């Protein structure tokens, strides 16, 4: 730990982002074990934390042996610099990024692109021929989330897979689906979505096979489905990411318990308003994000579940009691520290340029995330 880092959480400047190392390790190990028992490869998405240390926990092995998904090409380069050699860029690629992708393909042994558009396939293949590079490609499949990907049950999707398969400079490595709609309700819904995704991906793979297109990888999942489903028959890769931290939305679904959440935002009480039964903390939208959850509020105070951040602006967070009972202001003197559980850890983490890794009240080290694009 750098000498400039305070040894105690209470000495940290607020707001700041804390990671409970024991919980993060336990969450990562639990998902690794689930993948082993299901006999699927785990390719964790690292966009939640964007750190080397977090990625190593998620893959459970060395960087050289681990496989990951990233959300930006800057992340791809960042993790390649750290020795990762199996990286999937998890956004459908656009032509302005072809050259950077080509450099990555030449630099590491297994760099993969995501595609869901025939025009992009043609442009990418032409570019690859000119640059003398072979691109590994996953075809993005829409199994119900409707954010990106081609229809799982449509002939044009099969035709697009064949187009990639027959391209001179592209290799169809796999098909990829993200069941983001597994976040919408509860455990039962997440499990239903997972089975729907699995069966639709297997169906699509079988259609490809019958059309003479074989693929080695069928990749599925999201944190709720991967946290709750034990069997992935016909699938050989899963790609959850949020599970290393979890958050209030995951606890609401039932992907985890509140006690499993490994991250929090440290804030301080900066003012009391007894006349309206409120307190002010120095953590607002730029520390918590503005994502909402069914539990209500923008964050929950650790150890005090009746206290929620119910209103935020850029740097202000307003705390009230859930049930309207009076706040015991003497228990929260001005300047005192509170830890806030975020609704969405991915977006909350993205608000900070460093994470303080803690064991109870002791700061162990800092993790520095890759930022921007």
């Amino acid at each position: 730990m750098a000498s400039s880092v305070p040894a105690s959480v209470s000495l940290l400047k607020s707001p700041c982002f804390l990671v409970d190392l024991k919980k993060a390790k336990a969450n990562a190990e639990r998902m690794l074990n689930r993948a082993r028992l299901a006999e699927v490869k785990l390719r964790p998405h690292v966009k939640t934390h964007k750190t080397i240390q977090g990625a190593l926990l998620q893959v459970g092995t060395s960087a050289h042996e681990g496989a990951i998904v990233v959300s930006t090409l800057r992340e791809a380069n960042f993790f390649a610099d750290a020795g990762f050699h199996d990286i999937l860029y998890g956004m459908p690629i656009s032509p302005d990024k072809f050259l950077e992708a080509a450099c990555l393909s030449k630099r590491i042994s297994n760099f993969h692109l995501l595609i869901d558009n025939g025009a992009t396939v043609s442009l990418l293949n032409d570019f690859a021929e000119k640059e003398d590079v072979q691109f590994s490609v996953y075809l993005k499949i829409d199994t119900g989330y409707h954010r990106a990907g081609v229809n799982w049950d449509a002939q044009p999707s099969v035709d697009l897979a064949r187009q990639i398969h027959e391209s001179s400079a592209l290799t169809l490595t796999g098909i990829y689906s993200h069941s983001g709609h597994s976040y919408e309700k509860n455990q039962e819904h997440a499990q239903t979505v997972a089975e729907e995704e699995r069966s639709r991906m297997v169906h699509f793979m079988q259609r490809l096979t019958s059309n003479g297109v074989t693929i080695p990888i069928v990749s599925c999942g999201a944190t709720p489905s991967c946290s709750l489903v034990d069997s992935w028959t016909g699938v050989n890769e899963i790609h959850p990411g949020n599970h290393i931290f979890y958050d209030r939305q995951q606890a609401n679904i039932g992907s985890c318990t509140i006690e499993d959440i490994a991250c929090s935002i440290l804030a301080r009480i900066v003012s009391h308003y007894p006349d309206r039964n409120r307190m002010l903390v120095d953590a607002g939208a730029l520390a918590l994000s503005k994502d909402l959850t069914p539990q209500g509020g923008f964050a929950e105070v650790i150890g005090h579940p009746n206290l929620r951040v119910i209103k935020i602006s850029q740097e202000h967070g307003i705390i009230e009691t859930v049930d309207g009972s009076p706040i015991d202001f003497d228990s929260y003197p001005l300047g005192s520290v509170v830890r806030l559980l975020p609704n969405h850890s991915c977006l909350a983490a993205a608000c900070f340029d460093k994470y303080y890794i803690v064991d109870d009240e002791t700061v162990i080290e800092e993790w520095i995330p890759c930022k921007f694009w």
Side-chain angles (χ1 to χ4, degrees):
M1 181 178 67
S3 59
S4 59
V5 180
S8 172
V9 168
S10 64
L11 299 177
L12 293 172
K13 182 180 178 181
S14 56
C16 62
F17 194 85
L18 307 181
V19 176
D20 184 314
L21 186 58
K22 290 179 181 176
K23 291 184 179 182
K25 282 183 175 179
N27 292 341
E29 289 169 2
R30 192 181 308 116
M31 189 62 73
L32 282 162
N33 191 52
R34 293 186 68 84
R36 291 189 196 104
L37 292 174
E39 298 182 337
V40 294
K41 177 179 179 178
L42 179 63
R43 179 187 292 276
H45 208 311
V46 298
K47 72 179 182 68
T48 296
H49 54 87
K50 306 189 182 199
T51 65
I52 305 305
Q53 298 93 329
L56 290 173
L57 290 182
Q58 286 180 295
V59 299
T61 184
S62 67
H64 187 76
E65 295 175 327
I68 59 174
V69 187
V70 298
S71 57
T72 70
L73 289 181
R74 177 172 284 192
E75 289 169 34
N77 280 292
F78 177 76
F79 286 99
D81 288 344
F84 283 86
H85 285 265
D86 191 345
I87 301 174
L88 168 63
Y89 173 42
M91 273 286 292
I93 191 158
S94 57
D96 62 297
K97 300 177 180 67
F98 286 175
L99 182 58
E100 190 172 0
C103 293
L104 280 158
S105 290
K106 293 177 180 179
R107 180 181 172 198
I108 63 175
S109 54
N110 294 289
F111 180 65
H112 317 282
L113 300 177
L114 205 61
I115 286 183
D116 67 357
N117 184 280
T120 302
V121 170
S122 298
L123 290 169
L124 183 64
N125 190 65
D126 290 345
F127 174 87
E129 286 181 338
K130 292 176 184 177
E131 294 294 321
D132 191 28
V133 62
Q134 190 77 21
F135 282 117
S136 170
V137 171
Y138 280 63
L139 177 61
K140 181 70 178 283
I141 309 298
D142 177 15
T143 58
Y145 187 31
H146 305 321
R147 182 179 70 178
V150 296
N151 190 325
W152 67 276
D153 195 29
Q155 184 59 39
S157 304
V158 175
D159 296 339
L160 179 56
R162 185 186 294 110
Q163 180 187 351
I164 299 169
H165 180 68
E166 294 175 351
S167 296
S168 58
L170 309 180
T171 300
L172 182 58
T173 299
I175 55 176
Y176 182 102
S177 172
H178 172 63
S179 55
H181 49 314
S182 64
Y183 282 74
E184 292 174 358
K185 295 180 182 178
N186 52 30
Q187 285 187 347
E188 183 180 0
H189 176 74
Q191 290 165 337
T192 298
V193 167
E195 174 54 26
E196 183 178 80
E197 178 188 25
R198 184 205 65 79
S199 63
R200 289 177 175 183
M201 287 288 276
V202 170
H203 173 81
F204 186 74
M205 177 192 66
Q206 291 170 343
R207 286 188 66 177
L208 293 184
T209 301
S210 66
N211 279 266
V213 178
T214 58
I215 51 169
I217 298 175
V218 179
S219 189
C220 287
T223 289
S225 53
C226 293
S227 297
L228 297 169
V229 171
D230 296 324
S231 176
W232 291 95
T233 303
V235 171
N236 55 12
E237 181 178 280
I238 57 173
H239 46 254
N242 178 271
H243 65 280
I244 187 170
F245 288 165
Y246 285 122
D247 48 36
R248 289 183 77 219
Q249 68 176 346
Q250 296 288 355
N252 178 69
I253 296 163
S255 309
C256 68
T257 67
I258 284 289
E259 289 73 26
D260 293 325
I261 300 174
C263 65
S264 60
I265 291 81
L266 181 143
R268 283 184 169 82
I269 305 295
V270 296
S271 199
H272 294 160
Y273 308 105
D275 60 322
R276 48 189 185 268
N277 199 37
R278 287 179 168 182
M279 298 187 292
L280 179 67
V281 292
D282 57 355
L286 293 186
L288 300 171
S289 91
K290 281 196 163 185
D291 274 15
L292 296 170
T293 68
Q295 301 104 306
F298 296 93
E300 177 180 315
V301 179
I302 292 180
H304 306 275
N306 195 39
L307 293 178
R308 303 269 174 86
V309 177
I310 54 87
K311 186 177 180 180
I312 54 175
S313 52
Q314 184 162 318
E315 303 294 348
H316 299 65
I318 304 296
I319 291 179
E320 286 186 355
T321 55
V322 177
D323 60 8
S325 59
I327 295 173
D328 179 9
F329 291 98
D330 290 339
S331 296
Y332 309 97
L334 298 184
S336 61
V337 167
V338 291
R339 296 192 196 183
L340 307 174
L341 293 177
N343 288 346
H344 188 179
S345 59
C346 306
L347 291 187
C351 297
F352 296 89
D353 62 354
K354 69 181 70 171
Y355 313 146
Y356 292 104
I357 313 307
V358 303
D359 180 2
D360 194 19
E361 294 299 316
T362 301
V363 181
I364 302 169
E365 60 180 340
E366 292 179 354
W367 291 358
I368 306 299
C370 176
K371 301 290 289 183
F372 310 122
W373 300 269

